[in-house]
Amino acid sequence: MTSLDIVIPVYNEEDVLPLLFKELDLTFNAEALEKHGLETPHYIFVDDGSKDQSKRIIREAIDGGLNASLLSLTRNFGHQSAVTAGLSLSRAQITALIDSDLQDPPQVILEMVDKWRQGYEVIYGVRRQRKEGKIKVFCYWFFYRILSFLSEVDIAKDSGDFCLIDQKVVSTMNKLPEKLRFPRGLRAWVGYKQWGA
Ligand code: UDP
Ligand code: MG
């Protein structure tokens, strides 16, 4: 059985958190865990200085039996710092990163686990469609093309943080000394066998 940590950054997500818990519960049901050879996942929620009830909601879920830890940041440090903080606590054989706003479907993590079993060490989720307006969608599209043009590292286009990475990759990323980090870039930079790039 493979241990799986799921790092989830949270900033003012009180409305969506109950839905997220439900969705995670449905996705990682006993049958799916058995089929994909997984232990019950351990969630690492990182509250990035939320001003709403997010923290309380997560704490209550943990008190109610959710297999999770809550790392509570002292202020809003930003998405990428929250991800970095969550990764620093991750010890499982594989770690998934997923946004808390349900824009990344948790079921895809199971497919990523299958890819990991085929030998890949970094597996990306790529957004093929976006719900945002046309201008924002264009800006996202443009950002990844500019990034790709400027960067010597081959960073997967249209992939956010949603991914599954092997403990080796987590451990390498955690050792990097950068203070101002762009984990999506570092994840591509560290090497290893990457899928989806
Ligand atoms: N988030 C965070 N800190 C922030 C902003 C966002 O931890 O300062 C979290 C947010 O709750 C979500 C994820 O990071 O789970 C992605 O944020 P957002 O949905 O704003 O990013 P986008 O979907 O636009 O890439
Ligand atoms: Mg989002």
Side-chain angles (χ1 to χ4, degrees), residues 13 99 101 103 127 132 140:
E13 304 282 8
D99 287 353
D101 57 8
Q103 283 186 311
R127 286 188 183 160
E132 291 92 347
Y140 282 122

